[in-house]
Structures are given as structure tokens and as C-alpha cells.
Amino acid sequence: MKRFIYAIALFLIFSVCAKAQRQTDASKKLSLAAYVISTLYVDDVNEDKLTEDAIRAMLEQLDPHSTYLDPQEVKDMSASLDGNFDGVGIQFTMTNDTLYVIQTVAGGPSEKVGILAGDRIVEINDTVVAGVKMSTKDIMTRLRGKRGTKVDVTVLRKDVSDPIPFRITRDKIPVYSIDASYMVDKHTGYIRLSRFSATSAQEFVEAMLKLRRAGMKNLILDLQGNGGGYLNTAVKIADLLLADDNALIVYTEGRRSPRTEEKTSSKHLFPDGKLVVLVDEGSASASEIVSGAIQDWDRGVIVGRRTFGKGLVQRPVPLPDGSMIRLTTARYYTPSGRSIQKPYTKGEAKAYNEDLINRYNHGELSNADSIHFPDSLKFYTLKNKRVVYGGGGIMPDYFIPIDTARYTDYHRDIAAKGLINQEVTSYIDRNRKELNANYKNIDKFIATFEVDEKMLQDLKSLAEKEKIKYNEEEFQKSLPLIKAQLKALIARDLFDMSAYFKIMNQYNDSYQKALELIGMQEAYEQLLKGK
């Protein structure tokens, strides 16, 4: 049966590629197999599903990153990477099976009609969405729609006795890839980039210019957990940070793809000043292009843990029904010639996907000495001739072990159940007027707001209702993290995502080390010289 499945998949690809002028013996065999199944098989066959299963099964025999996306998956991917989608413009969470508005997009459709943070949407187009355990995906499907179309929602608002109806006209909603951008001190800026989307380079330029006007001379670029995105966006951002003209940023090469090089222009927005890039095991693909180029040209210091190791280039192959094959056609290499792709065996995606678990079990995430590279993977940076290694991600210049001290089973359970977010929602709902009156800016909030005992007791009560067994030792161990998360989530609701990271970064060891290095000229320069 597997042979039939592979046959159908290959037949589909040959059909899509109409430019093929002659069929090989293999393609003739595949065409015949597909015809035989469609005309002679004993039972009815769902040909669409069989075709999709066939394509997925075939791609599973290749590398781990060659994938098939159905039409809905293509739309979802495009929305996150193209930088916009059509919708109503709210950020929401589900609390007690109720859609709770965290924030409205500034100038967006929901803000224009008067929807406020803290509102509870209970109906969408006469469909009750509160108390019916509707999934987030179902909610989004009902709220999103083509630009110019309308959606009716009913809202419950604190201190208003009757439900409030709204009619929202959907519009283009921007999806920002910069989560946070702010000045850490008088001379140090911070930018957190969550993905490399179509709009990321322009967002980055705007954030950099704003920070420079505020006095930025040094930059912390946070790529932790950034899984990548568009290659050309990575090239544009690296170009802004590197110092030399016509310097190689990255090159790609494959069996049927000749070597293609991407080089810097003369548009260097931040060619000097201290630069620290934060990475971890979740930083992949485009993140590795940027951090690899910065490291290879000795432009800045990389801090954190070894990156994911995704150095394969996927070419999108659109199919007639709106689905897509993303086929690996090349590998990308850093300026020194390093391949970032970690090893894999074709057809064994399970083992590949367990790599991060294996890294943790082998101690790599907690101890840099557990990482060993053979001399065959040794390369040298292009200016200072420091030793760097290829063959599996970017190894940072300064290693930061993963913080496991504050994480416990109790914290994991309350976080997984969404109880920290639920307590924040309830707290803000009870105290929004007072909070808005007392905290006009984030600096005052950070300096004076404290998570009180009542909030913690309420959180414990929520956990008890969810039958999460209380453990005093684990609670005390995780208490600093719990308080930080509660405070940061309240700040996000009152202000923005930058406020959230201003608080959480106080507990981020990589971020703290970056600040330390920027303040220590000698230590920073020694890392760049490989000492």
C-alpha cells in the first residue's frame, strides 16, 4: 500500500509541473498506478485525503523540513509571515470559557467601535461563545474574515448592567514581529524579534531609529525562541548591523541549486557600538543566519545556548487547490563556510525532533563542557580568527546554562492550566480603575507594584479547584517566577508587550549577562578576540 501512496504523490507533482515535456518510465508507472486505483479499486476512495496522505508520506522519507501544508495551513503561515491578516483587531485570552479582551489594536476595527480591554465577548454573530468550551481556533475563525465584511459581537462590560452590541467592520490587521523595544539605560537599547516576517526589516529600522534618537549607543538583540522566517528578511537585518560593504552574509548551495551569495550593501544602520545577540535552543533558521554572520565577522558577542541547527532552505511549490509543498532545495552556510544544519537521517523525523530532549538529558543545556565538536567542523572567524564550529547550530561566545532552579512540577501544572493568566484577568477586572489611576507609566509600575498575598492565595485556590495538589516546597521554590509572571502579565495588559519584557528580563540570565558585558569593555573585547 505504501508503494501506491508514494506513486500517487509523485503523480500529483508531475501533474503540477506542466512544463515537463516528456515522461520517464517511472512517471508512466506512477500515472498508471493512480489510474488503476481511481478506476478499479473495490470501494469508494476519498481521493483528496488519499492524495494528501500520499504527499505527506513521501515527504517523510526526505529531510525533516520538507513538508506539505493544506490550504488552511498555508493561510495561517502566510498571516504570520506576511505581516497582516484580515480581522477585528483584538488580543484575547480564554478565561473560564469566556473570551476576554486583553488589548485592542491601536486604530483597529474593534478600537474604532469602542471595544475596551477587559470586555468579555459572549456572542459572535448570534452564536454563543461563552461557557461552551469553544476552542481558540474556532473563535479566530469566527472573528476573522475578508476586509470590509462585518461581524456582530455582544459584549459584557464590568459595571454595565446590560450586554452591549457592536458591529465591527473587518480590516487589515498588522502582525508585528518586534515584541519589545526600549531603552535599558541611557546608552543601551533592547529589541526582541519574534520572527522574520515580510515587515520585520522595516519594523527593525523604525525601532532602531527611535532608540538612537533616545541615545542608544549599544544594542541587545534578543533572538531567543525565534524560529526563523524569510531568508531575505534575515539578510536585510544582518546588513543593517554589519560594518563592511560587500561582505558575505550567507550563501546557499544544493544539488540542483548553484551557489548563491547574499552580501551587504552600504546601508549600515548600526555598524559600530557594542552588540550582543541573545540566542537559545529555540533560535533557528533566519536567527542563525543573523547570529552566524555577526559572529563570523566579529561584529558582536553571541550570548546564550547553542541554537537549533536548521540550515535547510525550503522552496514553496504551490498546488492548484491552495495547498503547498515546501521542498528542501539547498543548504545555507555562514560567511566562514559553516553549515548550520544539525545531522539527520532521512525518514527518521522522530529522532530529529527529539534532539532538544537529548541535549537536555546529556547535560548540554546546563553545561557547556558537555558539548564536543570534532576538529573537522572547526572554522575561523574572518577578522579575529577565533575558532568557531559548524555542523549543528551557532555555539554562543558566552554560554548561559538553562535556568531550572525556579521551575517545579507545581508551577508547570498551574501554568499549563492557564491559571496564572486567569488570576491576572480576574485581578485586573476587579482593580482596573485603580490600576489605571495609580500607574500612568511603566517605570512607576515596575518600581512600586507588588504582587500581594491575596493574589497568591487566589492562585492557590484556582489550583485547588483544578485538583492540582499543593506542594509548599515547590511553591516557595517557584515563588519568584510566579510573582514575576503575574506582575509582567498585568503590565502587558495595562501597557504593552515591551512592559512585559521589561519585567521578565530582570529574571533572564542571558539578558543580565548581556548588560554586564556591555558595561565591561575589556570582557567584551576579550570575547571578540577569542580569549
Side-chain angles (χ1 to χ4, degrees), residues 156-169:
L156 295 181
R157 182 171 294 169
K158 189 174 177 62
D159 299 328
V160 177
S161 57
D162 297 324
I164 309 172
F166 291 98
R167 174 162 290 181
I168 309 170
T169 301

Side-chain angles (χ1 to χ4, degrees), residues 10-19 31:
L10 287 173
F11 171 68
L12 177 62
I13 292 177
F14 278 109
S15 298
V16 173
C17 298
K19 293 182 180 179
S31 299

Side-chain angles (χ1 to χ4, degrees), residues 11-72:
F11 171 68
L12 177 62
I13 292 177
F14 278 109
S15 298
V16 173
C17 298
K19 293 182 180 179
Q21 296 181 354
R22 65 185 183 88
Q23 288 184 318
T24 64
D25 290 341
S27 66
K28 290 178 181 178
K29 183 189 293 185
L30 297 172
S31 299
L32 178 59
Y35 175 78
V36 167
I37 292 174
S38 65
T39 58
L40 300 179
Y41 185 65
V42 62
D43 295 321
D44 289 337
V45 175
N46 184 333
E47 294 186 19
D48 289 341
K49 185 177 186 306
L50 188 62
T51 299
E52 290 193 358
D53 290 345
I55 296 172
R56 294 184 194 277
M58 181 181 63
L59 293 174
E60 285 173 0
Q61 304 308 306
L62 305 178
D63 66 278
H65 295 291
S66 288
T67 57
Y68 169 79
L69 303 176
D70 63 33
Q72 185 57 50

Side-chain angles (χ1 to χ4, degrees), residues 195-241:
R195 68 181 72 84
F196 289 81
S197 72
T199 62
S200 297
Q202 183 58 38
E203 288 180 53
F204 190 79
V205 169
E206 292 171 1
M208 289 287 289
L209 292 176
K210 183 178 180 180
L211 292 175
R212 289 183 66 175
R213 287 194 295 269
M216 182 185 72
K217 296 180 179 179
N218 312 301
L219 174 66
I220 300 172
L221 174 58
D222 189 349
L223 299 180
Q224 294 173 107
N226 184 323
Y230 291 134
L231 171 66
N232 65 332
T233 302
V235 169
K236 289 177 182 178
I237 290 177
D239 188 10
L240 296 169
L241 298 173

Side-chain angles (χ1 to χ4, degrees), residues 358-430:
N358 293 332
R359 290 193 202 183
Y360 180 84
N361 291 336
H362 294 158
E364 176 181 327
L365 301 186
S366 56
N367 190 341
D369 293 338
S370 65
I371 308 169
H372 302 285
F373 295 99
D375 287 342
S376 60
L377 298 177
K378 183 183 292 186
F379 293 80
Y380 296 91
T381 61
L382 300 174
K383 289 191 173 182
N384 295 340
K385 306 305 177 183
R386 295 181 293 142
V387 173
V388 288
Y389 290 94
I394 299 294
M395 188 65 190
D397 302 310
Y398 193 98
F399 177 82
I400 301 291
I402 192 169
D403 178 16
T404 59
R406 301 186 183 99
Y407 292 93
T408 62
D409 290 344
Y410 184 78
H411 174 268
R412 179 201 62 201
D413 291 341
I414 62 174
K417 289 282 189 179
L419 302 185
I420 295 176
N421 283 278
Q422 189 172 326
E423 170 55 26
V424 166
T425 299
S426 299
Y427 179 83
I428 292 175
D429 195 38
R430 296 192 305 268

